[in-house]
């Protein structure tokens, strides 16, 4: 299946945890940062991506407990492209949504500015 078609299917068939987190991430509600859902990056489709700050958020269900090697490979690949990867379990998102959002905000605040100010000519 083509990645774009698969990404569309994943958006349509989002888990309850993904839908809940999207309510908080959509429309620049977290730190004024724009997120997209189910974004293809290389061979992977990432749950949520903020390209401006190079942040990937993955919401993992129980299947990820037995595929941690695959997740580590995926994280390593994305970090190699300059992305910071955050992972949350479904139950963390559904039971502690506010805490998850606060952690995302804290990571965004700690990331380098996507638009560092340029040094003015003639200034030291």
């Amino acid at each position: 299946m083509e990645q774009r078609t698969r990404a569309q299917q994943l958006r349509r068939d989002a888990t309850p945890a993904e839908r809940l987190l999207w309510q908080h991430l959509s429309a620049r509600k977290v730190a004024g940062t724009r997120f997209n859902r189910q974004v293809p990056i290389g061979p992977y489709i990432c749950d949520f991506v903020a390209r401006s700050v190079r942040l990937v958020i993955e919401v993992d269900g129980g299947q990820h407990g037995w595929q941690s090697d695959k997740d580590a490979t995926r994280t390593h690949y994305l970090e190699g492209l300059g992305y910071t990867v955050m992972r949350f379990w479904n139950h963390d998102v559904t039971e502690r949504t506010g805490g998850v959002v606060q952690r995302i905000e804290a990571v965004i605040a700690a990331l380098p500015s996507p638009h560092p100010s340029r040094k003015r000519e003639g200034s030291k």
Side-chain angles (χ1 to χ4, degrees):
M1 177 179 303
E2 181 187 329
Q3 257 194 333
R4 196 176 84 186
T5 304
R6 177 74 178 134
Q8 289 169 340
Q9 178 185 10
L10 289 169
R11 281 191 293 274
R12 189 176 51 247
D13 299 335
T15 67
E18 289 170 344
R19 290 181 196 281
L20 178 60
L21 188 55
W22 180 241
Q23 290 175 4
H24 294 273
L25 296 178
S26 65
R28 300 179 192 262
K29 293 175 193 163
V30 175
T33 303
R34 180 178 183 215
F35 282 88
N36 295 96
R37 296 185 308 148
Q38 304 301 339
V39 177
I41 298 177
Y44 303 107
I45 299 175
C46 303
D47 291 336
F48 303 100
V49 176
R51 289 183 185 101
S52 64
V53 293
R54 302 194 69 75
L55 176 64
V56 170
I57 299 172
E58 292 290 326
V59 179
D60 297 335
Q63 78 277 11
H64 288 269
W66 50 264
Q67 65 182 51
S68 60
D69 288 345
K70 287 182 180 179
D71 287 343
T73 300
R74 174 189 186 105
T75 296
H76 181 73
Y77 175 84
L78 294 167
E79 288 174 344
L81 295 177
Y83 285 91
T84 298
V85 179
M86 298 182 74
R87 290 187 171 279
F88 298 99
W89 291 104
N90 282 339
H91 68 271
D92 286 332
V93 172
T94 57
E95 295 174 20
R96 293 179 278 283
T97 310
V100 167
V101 171
Q102 285 177 341
R103 285 186 52 204
I104 294 167
E105 287 173 334
V107 166
I108 291 171
L111 290 171
S113 171
H115 306 292
S117 57
R118 292 184 293 199
K119 199 173 187 178
R120 289 188 173 177
E121 287 185 40
S123 50
K124 295 180 182 174

